[in-house]
Every structure is written in structure tokens, then in C-alpha cells.
Amino acid sequence: MYPRPYRLLTGLLLAALLPIGMAQAADKPASVNICTENEESYPWLLKDRPGLNMIMIRQVEKQLGTKIEIKTLPWKRCMEEVKAGTMDGLFKISFKADRMEIGHYPMTGDKPDSSKRMLDDSYSLYRLKGGKLEWDGKAIKNADGAAIGAQAGFSIVDQLKGLGVRVDDGTRSADDNLQKLVNGRVAGVALQTLEGDISIAGKPELAAKLEKISPPLVVKPYFLMLSKPFVAKYPAFATQVWDTVAAVRESAEYKKQVQQFK
């Protein structure tokens, strides 16, 4: 048996090392709870099967070795819960300066780091076939005082208002917004391009009446946002999450999934 002074010294060393071990354990959470919207946005978010966002997040989860729990919520509620710190993060979200109140984007200086984006997507303007509504890349013309429809809570709403047009953002779903256009309640509808194209292509009654205006209203990157309490508690791990998103996006495995996705 070791002498008493040796045992005392060993005990003191173990006691001193314990907080270090605990601190190291706290550098990585047992799981990450994130939310996303509960509406479809092809090909990123789907209800009947995993969209590309879910495929990406599961690959990120695998590389991190940390469980990622995903909850689908109405978009505004999802943002509110991240802001309140009851959710650790959300996806997919484009950059707006006022959204920095909600949580943290991956940043480089005072700008979002687009190299850490999940994806690029665009918004386009849709009109009745043969309609007068125009978009020349700078201004929306011939709305004749009528509103442009847009999805509630989406970043395109502020852009449309900045262009000086009236906006009807009282409806969340893409299909309902397109139906407003068919019914003559709005002069046009601004939708995420892939979602708008798929919504129209999947409904012959819409495809016969509506068309997309070129060029896109805007092309922008979308990110995984992390809550402020989460980043404050796990700063190094938060950086690792965003780095892993970038690595997965550029990986051969994920790119193959994108190419084969239908």
C-alpha cells in the first residue's frame, strides 16, 4: 500500500484534474436540437421523404459524432424559439441584418461567410401568361398598384417593399400564393425559384395559366443558424458545425445525392 503522503498527493491531483475533464466534456454537447419549417420547399425540405437539407444534416451529424435532433415548426415560431434559446439552431435561413438578433450566422468580419453556407437558392417572380408585369433586374414594372404576393416571414418581403411595390404576405404556402395570382388578387408572386417551378409543374391548371419572369429577383446563400446561448456555451463546437456543413456540401457523397435527387 502506498504511504499516506503519496495517497494525499494523488487525491489532490485527481481533484485538480476533475474540473478540467468536466470543462472538456462541456466543449461538446450530448445532442443538438434544431428546427426547420414545417412546409415543403423542393428539393430542400419535403414531407414524404428526406429532402436535400435533411440529407445534408444527417451527413453533418455523422461527421460530428453528435446527435442532431430536428423538429419541424411554423417558420416564425422556429425563429422565435432559436431567439429565446429553447432551440439550438435552425435551417435554412438567408442573411438579413435584423436576423442577427435571432442567432449567429457563420461570419467573416461583419459579413456572413458564404463559404460555410448550406446552399444557394434564388427567388423569381411569376405572372399570368401574357401579363404586363415585368422585372428588368432593377425594378418591377406594370403592377398598376396591385400587390405582389409573397410567403409570410420570408426575406423576399423586405426586398419587394424596398422596390416600392405593395406586398401581400398574408399566406404561407406557395400553392396558395399562386392561387391568389390565378384569381387576380395579386399582380404577381415572388417565390423561391425551385419551389415555384415545382409547384407550377405539378399542377396542370397552374402550368396552363402562369409563367416565370427572368432574371431571378435575387440569388442568395442560405445557412444553418445557431442560437446565441449555444454559441456562447460551445464556441469551438459551433465553428466545427459550420466547418462541417461546408465540408459536407463540397463532398463527393453529398454531390452525388444532389445529382441523383428527383
Side-chain angles (χ1 to χ4, degrees):
M1 189 170 181
Y2 292 110
R4 180 177 176 81
Y6 183 91
R7 284 184 280 127
L8 286 173
L9 179 59
T10 302
L12 288 171
L13 286 171
L14 288 172
L17 288 171
L18 184 59
I20 296 174
M22 292 174 63
Q24 288 174 340
D27 286 343
K28 184 175 181 179
S31 64
V32 183
N33 298 302
I34 59 178
C35 58
T36 189
E37 64 175 316
N38 61 350
E39 295 287 345
E40 290 196 340
S41 177
Y42 184 93
W44 314 113
L45 295 167
L46 302 174
K47 291 183 177 179
D48 61 341
R49 60 192 171 107
L52 289 175
N53 281 175
M54 291 294 190
I55 291 170
M56 173 181 276
I57 293 298
R58 290 309 174 207
Q59 291 184 15
V60 169
E61 176 185 57
K62 182 179 178 180
Q63 290 200 21
L64 289 172
T66 300
K67 181 67 176 174
I68 298 179
E69 303 285 354
I70 301 173
K71 188 175 183 180
T72 58
L73 295 171
W75 184 234
K76 287 187 176 180
R77 182 181 164 194
C78 181
M79 291 191 287
E80 288 167 358
E81 293 212 11
V82 172
K83 184 176 182 179
T86 53
M87 297 296 295
D88 297 325
L90 62 80
F91 66 90
K92 59 181 179 63
I93 188 167
S94 62
F95 178 79
K96 286 176 60 183
D98 61 357
R99 284 179 172 173
M100 294 177 74
E101 297 178 358
I102 300 171
H104 288 295
Y105 294 91
M107 302 291 286
T108 175
D110 60 352
K111 297 183 182 298
D113 185 350
S114 61
S115 73
K116 306 296 173 62
R117 70 193 184 279
M118 292 182 69
L119 59 105
D120 288 309
D121 206 352
S122 64
Y123 281 89
S124 290
L125 194 61
Y126 298 83
R127 69 183 177 192
L128 292 171
K129 283 187 175 178
K132 299 185 296 179
L133 187 71
E134 294 181 2
W135 163 248
D136 62 5
K138 295 181 179 180
I140 294 175
K141 301 177 181 178
N142 303 324
D144 297 330
I148 302 297
Q151 292 162 285
F154 279 38
S155 62
I156 195 64
V157 172
D158 286 345
Q159 182 183 343
L160 291 169
K161 290 178 179 178
L163 291 169
V165 298
R166 290 201 304 117
V167 180
D168 177 351
D169 62 341
T171 303
R172 168 60 190 85
S173 99
D175 288 350
D176 289 346
N177 272 286
L178 291 169
Q179 196 60 52
K180 283 184 182 180
L181 178 55
V182 170
N183 295 340
R185 294 172 56 191
V186 292
V189 171
L191 296 172
Q192 289 179 332
T193 305
L194 284 169
E195 184 174 14
D197 288 354
I198 294 298
S199 294
I200 291 171
K203 296 179 172 58
E205 67 276 15
L206 295 180
K209 297 177 180 179
L210 304 179
E211 62 185 1
K212 179 173 62 180
I213 301 173
S214 294
L217 286 165
V218 66
V219 180
K220 58 177 68 176
Y222 286 76
F223 300 92
L224 169 65
M225 173 183 277
L226 296 173
S227 74
K228 293 183 178 182
F230 185 87
V231 174
K233 187 173 183 180
Y234 307 109
F237 183 72
T239 298
Q240 185 182 356
V241 169
W242 287 317
D243 287 345
T244 306
V245 166
V248 167
R249 189 194 67 241
E250 295 301 319
S251 68
E253 181 181 358
Y254 179 70
K255 286 182 176 180
K256 183 178 179 181
Q257 294 275 6
V258 172
Q259 290 169 357
Q260 295 178 345
F261 197 87
K262 293 181 181 179

